[in-house]
Structure formats: structure tokens, C-alpha cells
Amino acid sequence: MPKLKIKRTDFGWTFSAFAAVGLSGLVINQVIATQLGVTALGRYNMLLAVVIIGGQIGVMGIHNSVLFHTPKARSEGSPTAEVVCSGVLATILTSAIATSVIYVGGEIILRSIDNRYYLDGLRAITIGLFLFPINKTLLAHVNGLQRIPTFSILFSGRFILLAASAAVVTYNVDNDQVLPWTITVAEGVIFLGLLFANRSELIGVGKWRNMHPMFNRHLRYGFRGFLGTTLLDLNTRLDIILLGLISGTRSVGVYSIASLFAEGLYQAAIVPRYNFDPVVTSLFVQNKLEKLQETIHKAKRRIYFVAIPVVVVSNVLYPFIVEFLFSKELADESWPVFLILSLGVGVSAGYIPFTNILQQSGHPGRQSMLLVAMTLTNLSLNVALIPFFDVKGAAIATAISWTSIIFYLRKLSNPILGFKV
């Protein structure tokens, strides 16, 4: 029976992937904002948000079922090919349904208001929107197998491709109409890479009857956790969507600059989650709860020890970096937003890596409860504060929703684990 444990080199791989993701995000925002303007950046980020949130709806939580059942099967000494194959088939079904609904609904709405840019953009991202959930499921299987180097390369590869293609398009085309196609191109390349990475376990569909029980199990598990997993990514884009609807695309562009760096801090805190998720499942399945508690508390102390000085240094450097990369005007406008968001990350940093602990303990329903509570907090505060404080209101709302995870997670985990996270 394989022993699931975290290797020191795995942290190196995941943090390298995070660095690549952060640098790629910086490149995307910098080249679009400086070459095509803040409004173009806002429109691009709106379409990217549609893919991320729409893709999360399309995957229907099945990727989390794969992430749970893969290490569970390994801990029990069972084969994992059935887990990934049935998960991919289930995701193809749910993604096709979700993509069709989003595309048809978008066509109707955008035609009715005669918005040509977003109509063309929707058509450009549709294939990427369909592939995004399938890629999440395949990537979850790689993570569940603890193939961290492969996972890190493919996870960061999406963002590297987005940055590279956005730079090529931006410097060679005078408008932003081609930019949405870069999203589909990136998803297509990552899909091929994931097929190659999982080639040894992607057995033929001729064995469908043997996969039918696991197929149904994925759907049931995914549906129980669907609301929570959808809201997890929605929380990272809710502020941008509401800003676009309430304040306009320029506010989205300004906010995106600060959010880019704050999201980098958030992702730095969440990176260890990819290492901890399979181990949490393994320890829980083997009923090693004392070991699990020790692992969590030790990780929290180390994360806070690093996070607090990082937040302080980031706020000192932020105005200079943004002025150098963008402009003094954007630095002055966006720095208060970054300050608020970074404080939210700093307070919640120790808990962020364990956002999935309820799901990885086999309780996707409670995972949904956790993220419903966070999203309602985020949504209500964004709606209340944006009309009065614009980008600062969105930042305050998002920061509070991030810190609320401390209360919600401790409350929901205690009955399951026997201790407060």
C-alpha cells in the first residue's frame, strides 16, 4: 500500500508553480493595460471570469470527487484508473450541458442589447469553457496521485500560455477583439498535456459498464459539493463581476491591478493546499485524527510566521512596483485597494490551505455550507459597499469574506474531526 506523505521537494514545485502563475498574471495585466488600455483589461478579465465561473459550474464538483477518491483508492490499495476515467466521462456530460446553457443564454442576452464585443468574445471562449472542467478533473487526478512536479507544470502552464498568447496578440494587433481566443488556445494545449500525463490510466470507453458505479458515485459526490465548489471560484471573481455591473469596466481595470498582487498573496497561502489535500484524505480514511490535528496546527504556525512579514513588505513595495510597471496614477488609485485586500489575506493565511478539509474528509455537503456562508458574506458586503466606496468597497467586502473562513471553518469542522481546525 503506497504511503502518502508530503515531500519537501513537493513544496518547492508548488511554490515554483505559484511564482510562474503570479508572473504570468502580472504580464497579462501589464501588457494589456499599457498597450490597449485599462478598459480593454477590464473586458478581458470579465470574459476570463466567465470561463472560470462557468467552468466551475460545468465541472459540477466532479473534480473534487476525483481528488477525494484517488488518494482514498491508493490508501486502500485499489486501482485508480476507474476513478479518473469515470470522472472524465461524467465531466464531459456536465460540461457539455453547462456550456450549452451559458452559450445560448449569452447569445440571447447579448444580441438583445446589441453588445458586439462580448458577443464575439463569448463565441471565442466557448471551446475553452467546455475544456476547462475536463482539465480540472484530469488535473485533480494528477494531484490525488501526488505527482506534484507534473501537477505544478500543468497547473502553471495554463497561465504561462495565457500570458504568452496575450503578449503576442497585444503587440501584433491594435485592438482587443482577438484576445478572448487566447483563453481557448491555452485550454486546448493544457488539455492535450493532461491527456498525455494521464495516458497510462485513460483506458478505453469499451469498459464503460465497469465504470458505471463510480460514474454515479462521482455525480452524487459532485452534486453534494457542487454549490460549495462553484462558490469557491466565484468568491475570487465576485468582486470583479459586481464592480463591472455597478461601477463599469474602468473600475474593474483599476481594481484588477491591486487584485492581481493581492491574489498573488492569496495564492501563495493556498499553494500548500495542493500538497495537503491528498494527505488529509489519507489520514482521515486511516482514522489518524491526532496526526491530522498535529499536521494542521504545525502548518498554521509556519504559514503565519511567513505571511505577516510578507504582507508588510508587499505594502511597502507596492506603490513603487506599480508605478514602474503601469503608471503613478494607477499606483495611487490602486494602492488603498491592495492594502485592504492584503490585510484580509494576512489575517486568514493560516486557514486558507485547509479550505478543502471538509470535502477531503468525505463531507462535500459541509464544504458547500462553508462556501455558501463565505459567498453570502462576500456578496452582501459587495452589494452594500460598492455603490458608496467603489473599488475600496469591493476590497473591504472581499477582505472580510476571506477572514470569515476562520469562524466558519472552525465551527463546521469540529463535529467531523473532533477538533477545531
Side-chain angles (χ1 to χ4, degrees):
M1 183 182 299
K3 183 179 180 182
L4 281 84
K5 63 179 182 179
I6 301 175
K7 302 175 184 177
R8 289 184 180 273
T9 55
D10 288 347
F11 282 110
W13 276 102
T14 49
F15 275 102
S16 296
F18 151 73
V21 170
L23 181 60
S24 299
L26 181 62
V27 170
I28 291 170
N29 282 265
Q30 200 272 341
V31 298
I32 296 176
T34 56
Q35 298 298 312
L36 301 177
V38 176
T39 299
L41 176 62
R43 295 198 295 197
Y44 174 84
N45 279 322
M46 285 287 285
L47 288 170
L48 187 59
V50 170
V51 172
I52 292 173
I53 296 172
Q56 195 69 5
I57 294 171
V59 79
M60 289 287 180
I62 294 167
H63 67 302
N64 286 324
S65 180
V66 170
L67 183 55
F68 172 75
H69 284 100
T70 296
K72 181 176 184 292
R74 290 188 71 201
S75 296
E76 296 170 346
S78 303
T80 58
E82 182 182 341
V83 175
V84 64
C85 292
S86 55
V88 169
L89 288 174
T91 307
I92 289 173
L93 172 64
T94 56
S95 182
I97 294 171
T99 301
S100 299
V101 171
I102 293 171
Y103 177 77
V104 172
E107 280 274 345
I108 293 172
I109 295 171
L110 294 171
R111 282 178 179 273
S112 66
I113 61 176
D114 194 29
N115 190 321
R116 296 301 308 177
Y117 177 85
Y118 281 116
L119 185 61
D120 291 339
L122 175 65
R123 293 167 180 170
I125 65 173
T126 297
I127 296 176
L129 178 60
F130 171 71
L131 291 176
F132 186 80
I134 302 171
N135 289 344
K136 285 182 75 72
T137 295
L138 289 168
L139 200 58
H141 183 63
V142 174
N143 189 14
L145 292 173
Q146 288 193 296
R147 295 169 57 192
I148 298 301
T150 302
F151 171 83
S152 300
I153 292 169
L154 291 169
F155 174 75
S156 60
R158 167 186 287 119
F159 299 93
I160 293 171
L161 287 168
L162 282 173
S165 55
V168 169
V169 169
T170 301
Y171 283 108
N172 288 279
V173 181
D174 293 333
N175 58 67
D176 59 339
Q177 292 179 335
V178 182
L179 272 176
W181 285 100
T182 63
I183 299 172
T184 288
V185 170
E187 290 303 319
V189 174
I190 294 301
F191 174 69
L192 295 176
L194 283 164
L195 288 180
F196 181 79
N198 289 283
R199 65 192 183 283
S200 63
E201 294 197 304
L202 290 174
I203 58 178
V205 293
K207 297 185 179 180
W208 160 249
R209 291 183 179 179
N210 296 331
M211 292 187 285
H212 193 266
M214 181 60 74
F215 177 90
N216 291 334
R217 196 177 306 165
H218 282 317
L219 290 177
R220 288 194 299 269
Y221 189 102
F223 288 155
R224 292 205 311 272
F226 164 68
L227 187 57
T229 53
T230 301
L231 295 178
L232 181 61
D233 277 349
L234 177 60
N235 256 312
T236 65
R237 292 295 183 271
L238 188 61
D239 43 7
I240 287 177
I241 291 174
L242 290 174
L243 263 178
L245 294 174
I246 297 173
S247 298
T249 53
R250 191 186 186 283
S251 291
V252 173
V254 172
Y255 188 88
S256 294
I257 302 299
S259 180
L260 165 67
F261 291 93
E263 185 72 15
L265 294 178
Y266 185 86
Q267 289 298 327
I270 211 171
V271 160
R273 190 189 80 189
Y274 302 116
N275 302 99
F276 285 121
D277 278 350
V279 175
V280 167
T281 297
S282 179
L283 292 175
F284 184 82
V285 168
Q286 297 175 52
N287 201 32
K288 297 181 179 179
L289 298 183
E290 289 185 4
K291 178 65 174 177
L292 178 58
Q293 183 179 15
E294 178 188 343
T295 300
I296 292 171
H297 290 172
K298 185 177 180 180
K300 282 167 55 181
R301 288 195 300 271
R302 290 182 173 180
I303 291 167
Y304 276 122
F305 182 76
V306 174
I308 293 173
V310 167
V311 168
V312 173
V313 172
S314 297
N315 274 280
V316 172
L317 296 177
Y318 180 86
F320 303 102
I321 294 173
V322 175
E323 181 177 348
F324 174 75
L325 293 174
F326 298 94
S327 68
K328 189 176 188 308
E329 180 185 6
L330 277 177
D332 292 340
E333 282 188 81
S334 63
W335 179 77
V337 175
F338 175 76
L339 172 63
I340 296 166
L341 290 173
S342 64
L343 289 175
V345 175
V347 171
S348 58
Y351 291 82
I352 292 173
F354 300 101
T355 306
N356 278 356
I357 194 168
L358 299 169
Q359 165 196 289
Q360 293 305 117
S361 301
H363 293 81
R366 279 187 174 263
Q367 182 76 17
S368 290
M369 292 172 62
L370 168 68
L371 294 167
V372 165
M374 287 181 62
T375 301
L376 288 176
T377 301
N378 199 5
L379 175 64
S380 58
L381 289 174
N382 266 288
V383 171
L385 297 177
I386 288 175
F388 297 99
F389 302 106
D390 195 37
V391 291
K392 293 178 185 177
I396 294 170
T398 301
I400 292 175
S401 74
W402 284 343
T403 58
S404 70
I405 191 179
I406 299 174
F407 171 77
Y408 296 135
L409 188 57
R410 288 171 64 86
K411 192 76 173 176
L412 290 167
S413 63
N414 191 34
I416 296 170
L417 304 176
F419 62 89
K420 293 182 179 180
V421 175

